[in-house]
């Protein structure tokens, strides 16, 4: 368990306790291959160092949990997030997206978040996720989420999905069906017809965290339009 200090406003810091679960490790060839992805795009990322956690290059992050003290009416209540993929955030190092999720959940009166993903692979950027998986892998991909890890309230939060994933509509439809069968309350952020991502460019484009709101999802047909 590690601690982050998250700045909420000029006068307030949240003391956040963070933990995460990982699986599998990158081998040397995979690390070299993914480094080439970034190099070819001119991205200055030392990939091997980015994915190391306590000296281990974990391939998948299966869950991230962050909690903090709250005096709100929803104190001791968790907000779940299902995002696209984990990027590099781990218990030692935060990133913009997870920090924004914490700020948003705190604004809405929650004191805990649980983050899961459609794809567990720890690569930054949806395009690089699609480069990592072969076309056959993507065609046969099955989203494996442990629904028992999720709280009652769940935000679908993956933004605009890459068109290169051939069966993404069926992946989302199956996920939606399974989530609703477990009586989860499903939300998206803002009232747009896609699940807004919580990257800083996305958040800042509409005026920051304070402008965001939870909207109940009424129908699967809003997902990918």
């Amino acid at each position: 368990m590690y601690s982050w200090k998250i700045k909420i406003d000029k006068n307030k810091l949240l003391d956040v306790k963070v933990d995460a679960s990982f699986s599998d490790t990158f081998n040397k060839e995979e690390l070299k291959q993914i480094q080439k992805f970034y190099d070819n795009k001119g991205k200055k990322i030392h990939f091997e160092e980015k994915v190391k956690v306590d000296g281990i290059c974990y391939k998948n992050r299966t869950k991230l949990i962050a909690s903090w003290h709250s005096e709100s009416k929803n104190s001791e209540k968790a907000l779940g997030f299902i995002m696209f993929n984990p990027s590099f955030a781990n218990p030692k190092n935060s990133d913009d997206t997870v920090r924004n999720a914490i700020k948003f959940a705190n604004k809405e009166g929650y004191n805990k978040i649980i983050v899961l993903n459609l794809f567990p692979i720890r690569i930054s950027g949806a395009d690089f996720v699609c480069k990592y998986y072969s076309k056959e892998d993507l065609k046969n991909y099955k989203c494996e989420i442990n629904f028992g890890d999720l709280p009652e309230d769940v935000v679908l939060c993956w933004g605009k999905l890459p068109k290169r994933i051939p069966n993404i509509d069926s992946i989302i439809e199956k996920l939606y069906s399974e989530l609703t069968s477990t009586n989860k309350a499903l939300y998206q952020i803002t009232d747009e017809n896609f699940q807004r991502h919580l990257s800083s460019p996305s958040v800042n484009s509409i005026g920051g965290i304070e402008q965001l709101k939870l909207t109940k999802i009424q129908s699967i047909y809003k997902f990918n339009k």
Side-chain angles (χ1 to χ4, degrees):
M1 182 82 66
Y2 292 86
S3 292
W4 296 349
K5 298 289 185 183
I6 305 294
K7 189 174 183 179
I8 299 301
D9 56 40
K10 291 182 180 179
N11 302 311
K12 186 175 180 180
L13 285 174
L14 280 184
D15 185 12
V16 182
K17 304 299 182 186
V18 188
D19 201 0
S21 300
F22 301 93
S23 68
D24 301 331
T25 57
F26 288 108
N27 61 43
K28 290 293 184 183
E29 287 305 310
E30 287 175 318
L31 292 171
K32 289 179 182 178
Q33 176 192 4
I34 297 168
Q35 186 64 56
K36 286 181 180 178
F37 294 163
Y38 289 108
D39 292 345
N40 290 339
K41 287 288 186 177
K43 302 284 186 180
K44 295 182 179 180
I45 290 177
H46 186 177
F47 183 73
E48 183 172 350
E49 290 304 313
K50 284 286 188 180
V51 295
K52 275 185 180 177
V53 181
D54 294 330
I56 300 173
C57 295
Y58 285 111
K59 182 184 294 188
N60 301 317
R61 194 190 75 203
T62 54
K63 178 172 59 176
L64 183 141
I65 301 173
S67 61
W68 57 94
H69 175 70
S70 172
E71 297 176 354
S72 74
K73 63 181 180 180
N74 284 341
S75 183
E76 305 305 322
K77 189 172 183 182
L79 185 61
F81 289 89
I82 300 178
M83 300 188 183
F84 185 72
N85 82 297
S87 189
F88 303 133
N90 64 70
K92 286 187 174 182
N93 299 298
S94 65
D95 65 11
D96 280 349
T97 301
V98 176
R99 285 195 298 271
N100 285 334
I102 290 168
K103 292 176 185 178
F104 178 74
N106 182 70
K107 177 182 80 75
E108 294 296 313
Y110 297 85
N111 79 323
K112 182 178 183 179
I113 64 168
I114 300 168
V115 182
L116 306 181
N117 295 274
L118 296 175
F119 292 81
I121 190 75
R122 298 177 66 226
I123 299 177
S124 179
D127 287 344
F128 295 116
V129 172
C130 292
K131 281 180 174 292
Y132 174 78
Y133 292 101
S134 69
K135 289 183 179 179
E136 195 65 22
D137 287 338
L138 290 173
K139 183 178 179 180
N140 297 312
Y141 185 78
K142 294 181 180 179
C143 179
E144 296 182 358
I145 284 178
N146 183 355
F147 297 108
D149 287 334
L150 288 168
E152 179 183 344
D153 296 348
V154 179
V155 183
L156 304 185
C157 192
W158 46 69
K160 292 181 179 178
L161 294 164
K163 294 180 180 179
R164 284 182 288 168
I165 304 174
N167 67 334
I168 193 63
D169 287 333
S170 61
I171 290 173
I172 299 305
E173 185 174 3
K174 184 174 184 293
L175 176 65
Y176 179 83
S177 176
E178 291 174 339
L179 284 167
T180 52
S181 71
T182 60
N183 297 316
K184 303 294 184 188
L186 299 183
Y187 297 90
Q188 60 190 24
I189 296 177
T190 79
D191 57 358
E192 298 172 76
N193 292 333
F194 70 95
Q195 282 60 57
R196 177 176 289 279
H197 194 268
L198 280 174
S199 66
S200 286
S202 178
V203 170
N204 294 337
S205 70
I206 64 167
I209 293 290
E210 291 302 319
Q211 304 304 313
L212 302 178
K213 62 181 181 179
L214 281 177
T215 304
K216 198 80 177 282
I217 291 176
Q218 302 297 329
S219 167
I220 188 174
Y221 299 108
K222 282 189 172 184
F223 279 22
N224 286 323
K225 291 194 174 183

